Amino acid sequence: KISLGGDDTRLFYVYPKEYLINTQFFSWINLSSVGWNFSYQSFIPFVFIWTILAEIIKSKIVLGYFSFSLPFIFGLVYFQLFVKELIIIDSYKYKSEAILGSLFYIFSPILINNHFLNPLIPIWLIGLIPAVCYYFLRFVKSGRISNIFKAAILVTVFSFGAHNSPWAMGFILPISISLIISSCLFKKQNIYLFIKRFILFFSIILLSQSFWLFVFLMNLIVPSSSNFTAKVLSESMAEDFSRSVLATSRGSIIYPLLNLYPRQIAFDFGWNLKNIYESFYDKTYFINLLYPVIVFLGIFNFKKYTNIWEKKIFIIILIAFSLSIYFFTVNIGPLLNLYILFGHIPGFVMFRIPVDKFAMGYVLIYSLLITCSLVIFRRKYKSKNKLVLVVYFLFLVTIVVNILPIKKIIISPLYAASENIYKNITIPDEYLDFMTDIKETVPSTNNILSIPYGIALYTIIKDVDSDNVYAGVSPVVIFSGVNDISGNLSFNFSPQAKIVENSIINRDYNTLNNVLFIDNINYVLLTKNIPEEIKKSVLYLPDAISAQDSKFISNITNEKIISSSEGNYELYSTKRQNFIITSHNTTYKKLNRVKYKIRIENIKQDQEILFNDSFHEQWELYPSHLTNNFTCNSPRRLDNLKTVECAPEIIFFELGDLNYLWSKDLFRSSHVVNNNFSNKWTIDFDWIINNLSKDYYEINEDGSIDLELVLYYKSQVYFYIGITITIIVFLILIAIILSKRK
């Protein structure tokens, strides 16, 4: 069985090929949502490698556990390399200290509870941050470009982890402040060299990430009202900052100093960790006093037992540690109010849950400090080898004792939903086969409503031989290529979420059917084997789940389309069907996720064209030369629409798409939000006649015109530019390395 689910699904570990095909290459992808979209292009290198690996490792269980274990291994190796490079200790003489420090790091109960419990994407930063720091230090010392190249390769492979800036900043922020404070300890020429090589190193690293970072930055420059980044930086998020900080900053520095997750927050929120504290950590925490004792010994003796360079490094780490423990715990007298004031700094709202965002940075910095302290301890008591061995043995025993509950932490009941149902499952073949049927039956231009409809954007997939479930972001689009809507968060906090919820509870089927039509939701996926305990959990509203009965299904569906082999999954058509593009006398076909070809005939006056997907300013209309090659295979018509949908003609990439970067789009001023959700343009008949070249339209005998358009998501061009920059950067690095230059 594999531990799956959560906000990141983790399915790309075991189903990388499906992920690569359906969510990677294109800049526009909805994942169980009609209200927002995310770019998954930062996943491309990892998922591509994992797709190849999946062909070699046929067992998904082995592949899943290897994916789960790799951050441990990655962190274990690179922390040792980093710490040896940082404090300039003899790599052989002080090997024990480096190993103990690395074990303290990767097996920290804070990391286990914060990252390995729900191994979301930031888990890869556990190894990636020490790796980048290691290669950076080697570059600062040697100037060898090969160190930049190695770092760029690692950051590229695990770019989806590097994408998680809040967790990375949880380390960068205290270290950066510490370096600025400690700059007085260094000579000007050393500072100048450091800054120069810092800028060179990280500029090249950032340029190497252009294949995803360029799109991200362009979306910051040209934000959309429906863009997730815009919402993170919005005033409403800033207002929520204080409330979130106060709600989650419940502990003190005591337990973090013992390398334990803050106890109070686990009890306040009723986490499974509360039970582990009561049954285990409350009885063993005293042995963790060894950690702060070693640190204080290091602080009191570092002046005597370190050389000049090591003193400077120790001071930098100590200042960073003091800052980090403050950022992690926050609840330190009047300093709590100071942290809340930071919420007015643009972008600082990313740290609104400090116990989460600063956890990894805190543990990493604490591990560096305790490793330095172990070295100092060994030097102080170099004549007492037995004492050193006893202390090191106790240190190792403490680490082992702390990780004894690791299985109970990681394999825990479904968070806030059930005490008896777990999230380690085997995805049933029945479900996978049903997804294949959906892919063959439902055009990818449609949306599906998944029911039971919940409070988030999660779906439930029941295990084959137990009540364990997958509870996470709906994977329908990953397996079938067709997006589904699974809960209130699918509407991105828009008014539609409340409308849908109230319509279900109040059995207002007319309103609900109208929303389904507007949002291009033309199918309903019914899951029939969800355990009753899950239905009664916080994942569903009691009134809403009770109203989703046979009467509900009969009032929003037309007919059953397909059923799974065991009858646990059924697909229905809705009462009213819609198309993703609608207008009078219009024929269209999908070329890929970011491009549609549209032909409109007999335009006699201004008319509207609707694109029934989430609104974004970068969906743009461009003129297309009239040709005779607009073929329409398997045309599909609906009685209530004067539009024809052709079978998709999937074209992965066309060189001409690059022209959209500088081409002027049409009818931009008329591009508005339709029905609080989708895109609408008004085609200006007179403007076409007066301004557009006749190569782009044809005048009919009755004075009407025929027009061909391309609907394109412009961010895709930014991806092409970004991936070109990435390739150029790596070619230049390889050329420099081959020339053996510094």
Side-chain angles (χ1 to χ4, degrees):
K1 296 184 186 298
I2 309 168
S3 181
L4 298 171
D7 294 343
D8 294 334
T9 78
R10 280 170 273 162
L11 284 168
F12 60 94
Y13 292 148
V14 288
Y15 295 99
K17 184 177 179 180
E18 291 79 1
Y19 227 91
L20 185 65
I21 292 172
N22 290 314
T23 68
Q24 299 301 295
F25 182 75
F26 296 109
S27 300
W28 184 265
I29 174 67
N30 289 323
L31 193 60
S32 193
S33 166
V34 294
W36 53 27
N37 78 292
F38 298 93
S39 170
Y40 282 77
Q41 288 155 344
S42 60
F43 284 69
I44 290 175
F46 179 89
V47 175
F48 179 76
I49 292 172
W50 246 239
T51 299
I52 297 173
L53 196 62
E55 295 299 318
I56 301 171
I57 303 175
K58 296 296 184 180
S59 169
K60 294 191 179 298
I61 302 296
V62 174
L63 188 64
Y65 275 94
F66 176 65
S67 303
F68 185 91
S69 303
L70 193 55
F72 279 97
I73 302 166
F74 200 26
L76 179 73
V77 172
Y78 273 104
F79 179 87
Q80 292 180 65
L81 293 172
F82 173 37
V83 76
K84 290 175 184 177
E85 199 69 35
L86 179 65
I87 58 179
I88 318 179
I89 55 179
D90 187 291
S91 60
Y92 176 76
K93 185 176 181 181
Y94 294 101
K95 192 173 183 179
S96 299
E97 287 74 14
I99 292 174
L100 288 175
S102 64
L103 293 175
F104 177 89
Y105 173 51
I106 66 167
F107 290 129
S108 164
I110 297 173
L111 278 190
I112 290 171
N113 188 78
N114 205 67
H115 290 283
F116 288 107
L117 170 61
N118 294 304
L120 307 181
I121 294 169
I123 195 174
W124 295 93
L125 293 175
I126 291 172
L128 192 59
I129 291 176
V132 172
C133 291
Y134 165 68
Y135 288 117
F136 170 64
L137 288 178
R138 289 188 62 84
F139 174 68
V140 169
K141 294 178 183 181
S142 68
R144 293 189 180 278
I145 296 295
S146 59
N147 291 301
I148 304 181
F149 179 72
K150 293 172 184 176
I153 289 290
L154 279 177
V155 174
T156 299
V157 172
F158 300 102
S159 53
F160 67 109
H163 198 160
N164 291 271
S165 55
W167 289 270
M169 287 299 297
F171 170 77
I172 295 170
L173 184 62
I175 285 291
S176 299
I177 297 173
S178 179
L179 285 171
I180 294 171
I181 294 173
S182 307
S183 60
C184 59
L185 300 174
F186 299 90
K187 296 179 180 179
K188 288 185 179 180
Q189 58 266 37
N190 288 338
I191 295 174
Y192 172 75
L193 178 64
F194 178 87
I195 292 174
K196 185 175 72 171
R197 291 189 172 174
F198 177 92
I199 293 172
L200 178 60
F201 183 92
F202 285 102
S203 294
I204 294 175
I205 293 295
L206 290 174
L207 285 171
S208 72
Q209 302 308 294
S210 295
F211 69 96
W212 67 267
L213 189 58
F214 192 77
V215 176
F216 177 78
L217 293 176
M218 289 303 297
N219 282 331
L220 284 180
I221 296 170
V222 189
S224 164
S225 57
S226 62
N227 184 271
F228 179 74
T229 304
K231 292 182 181 296
V232 169
L233 299 176
S234 68
E235 186 177 342
S236 61
M237 287 292 287
E239 292 173 353
D240 184 58
F241 180 81
S242 175
R243 183 173 57 84
S244 298
V245 171
L246 292 172
T248 57
S249 301
R250 305 289 185 87
S252 65
I253 66 171
I254 302 301
Y255 283 95
L257 277 176
L258 301 178
N259 200 21
L260 295 174
Y261 197 87
R263 183 181 188 275
Q264 189 61 44
I265 192 172
F267 280 76
D268 289 345
F269 288 95
W271 294 348
N272 182 56
L273 182 62
K274 166 190 169 183
N275 301 324
I276 295 172
Y277 257 109
E278 290 178 330
S279 63
F280 189 82
Y281 285 134
D282 283 348
K283 300 173 183 177
T284 63
Y285 75 92
F286 65 91
I287 68 172
N288 290 46
L289 291 170
L290 179 63
Y291 298 148
V293 167
I294 289 175
V295 168
F296 284 120
L297 279 172
I299 294 172
F300 293 142
N301 292 280
F302 83 95
K303 289 184 178 180
K304 184 176 180 181
Y305 294 100
T306 56
N307 60 36
I308 295 174
W309 177 261
E310 291 169 344
K311 284 183 177 66
K312 296 176 181 179
I313 296 299
F314 190 88
I315 291 170
I316 291 172
I317 296 173
L318 183 59
I319 294 172
F321 175 75
S322 303
L323 292 166
S324 187
I325 197 170
Y326 162 60
F327 286 134
F328 179 55
T329 57
V330 174
N331 190 23
I332 306 176
L335 293 179
L336 172 59
N337 294 326
L338 176 63
Y339 189 91
I340 291 174
L341 287 176
F342 292 160
H344 297 286
I345 301 173
F348 200 84
V349 291
M350 71 173 72
F351 301 118
R352 65 195 184 99
I353 305 179
V355 75
D356 173 30
K357 300 300 184 290
F358 285 101
M360 187 183 303
Y362 168 72
V363 173
L364 177 53
I365 295 170
Y366 193 6
S367 303
L368 293 173
L369 181 63
I370 207 163
T371 304
C372 293
S373 299
L374 285 170
V375 173
I376 294 168
F377 172 80
R378 181 170 178 179
R379 289 174 180 174
K380 178 179 175 62
Y381 296 102
K382 61 181 178 181
S383 61
K384 301 178 180 179
N385 288 332
K386 290 184 179 179
L387 174 63
V388 173
L389 287 174
V390 169
V391 171
Y392 282 14
F393 175 75
L394 291 175
F395 192 96
L396 182 61
V397 168
T398 304
I399 293 172
V400 172
V401 169
N402 281 332
I403 65 171
L404 289 178
I406 188 171
K407 185 176 181 181
K408 289 185 178 180
I409 293 175
I410 294 174
I411 304 179
S412 58
L414 188 61
Y415 170 68
S418 166
E419 295 182 356
N420 304 307
I421 297 177
Y422 292 72
K423 54 187 179 294
N424 52 312
I425 76 163
T426 299
I427 299 290
D429 288 337
E430 179 191 8
Y431 180 83
L432 296 174
D433 293 341
F434 187 68
M435 290 298 105
T436 301
D437 292 340
I438 289 179
K439 186 173 186 177
E440 295 173 351
T441 304
V442 180
S444 61
T445 52
N446 292 264
N447 288 315
I448 296 172
L449 177 69
S450 287
I451 56 175
Y453 179 86
I455 64 168
L457 37 69
Y458 279 17
T459 197
I460 302 297
I461 305 172
K462 185 180 173 297
D463 194 12
V464 178
D465 52 9
S466 73
D467 277 343
N468 290 359
V469 299
Y470 165 96
V473 176
S474 178
V476 172
V477 70
I478 296 170
F479 290 123
S480 71
V482 185
N483 184 52
D484 75 320
I485 314 304
S486 55
N488 275 350
L489 285 184
S490 294
F491 294 98
N492 192 16
F493 306 102
S494 73
Q496 286 167 298
K498 204 64 182 174
I499 292 172
V500 171
E501 180 184 293
N502 290 337
S503 298
I504 293 173
I505 294 172
N506 299 324
R507 297 186 181 275
D508 183 359
Y509 301 122
N510 288 333
T511 300
L512 181 56
N513 284 326
N514 187 53
V515 172
L516 298 182
F517 177 79
I518 289 172
D519 291 356
N520 192 38
I521 301 172
N522 300 317
Y523 296 87
V524 175
L525 193 165
L526 172 62
T527 300
K528 301 171 67 176
N529 63 345
I530 297 177
E532 288 299 318
E533 189 173 347
I534 297 296
K535 289 183 179 181
K536 296 175 182 177
S537 73
V538 295
L539 293 176
Y540 298 99
L541 287 176
D543 292 343
I545 196 71
S546 62
Q548 296 178 63
D549 51 19
S550 57
K551 181 179 179 182
F552 166 78
I553 295 170
S554 65
N555 276 276
I556 67 168
T557 63
N558 186 29
E559 61 177 336
K560 186 189 295 185
I561 306 297
I562 50 176
S563 180
S564 65
S565 58
E566 302 295 327
N568 289 315
Y569 308 98
E570 296 175 345
L571 185 72
Y572 297 81
S573 60
T574 55
K575 292 289 187 185
R576 297 171 61 196
Q577 298 272 296
N578 200 357
F579 283 143
I580 195 167
I581 295 174
T582 56
S583 189
H584 292 298
N585 302 322
T586 297
T587 304
Y588 75 92
K589 58 183 172 183
K590 179 180 179 179
L591 302 182
N592 52 53
R593 288 194 176 274
V594 296
K595 189 175 182 181
Y596 296 81
K597 190 72 175 289
I598 305 169
R599 182 179 178 88
I600 308 177
E601 298 178 340
N602 302 317
I603 303 174
K604 297 179 180 179
Q605 58 187 3
D606 294 357
Q607 71 179 61
E608 295 178 347
I609 180 169
L610 305 181
F611 178 53
N612 298 312
D613 202 341
S614 307
F615 177 83
H616 200 291
E617 285 87 347
Q618 292 193 46
W619 277 112
E620 297 179 350
L621 286 172
Y622 295 94
S624 177
H625 286 89
L626 274 176
T627 61
N628 294 321
N629 65 351
F630 191 99
T631 56
C632 184
N633 298 319
S634 304
R636 180 168 168 255
R637 294 175 173 84
L638 296 175
D639 294 338
N640 57 326
L641 298 175
K642 294 183 179 180
T643 303
V644 177
E645 180 182 65
C646 308
E649 183 182 319
I650 301 303
I651 300 174
F652 192 69
F653 168 72
E654 290 181 306
L655 192 61
D657 292 351
L658 299 176
N659 293 328
Y660 299 129
L661 181 64
W662 51 81
S663 297
K664 184 174 177 57
D665 59 311
L666 302 179
F667 320 120
R668 175 177 293 184
S669 61
S670 70
H671 184 197
V672 295
V673 181
N674 183 53
N675 291 316
N676 296 314
F677 157 63
S678 58
N679 303 263
K680 180 173 75 174
W681 293 264
T682 299
I683 297 174
D684 190 326
F685 178 83
D686 292 334
W687 187 93
I688 294 172
I689 297 296
N690 296 327
N691 296 278
L692 206 58
S693 167
K694 291 187 178 180
D695 293 336
Y696 295 104
Y697 68 91
E698 181 179 352
I699 301 178
N700 301 314
E701 292 181 359
D702 61 357
S704 64
I705 62 172
D706 296 343
L707 176 71
E708 287 190 11
L709 300 169
V710 170
L711 176 62
Y712 194 77
Y713 185 57
K714 193 172 182 177
S715 275
Q716 186 68 16
V717 180
Y718 302 147
F719 167 67
Y720 297 141
I721 295 172
I723 200 169
T724 301
I725 295 172
T726 294
I727 293 170
I728 291 173
V729 167
F730 276 105
L731 290 176
I732 291 174
L733 287 174
I734 292 170
I736 294 174
I737 291 169
L738 291 177
S739 66
K740 297 183 180 179
R741 293 181 181 179
K742 292 186 180 181

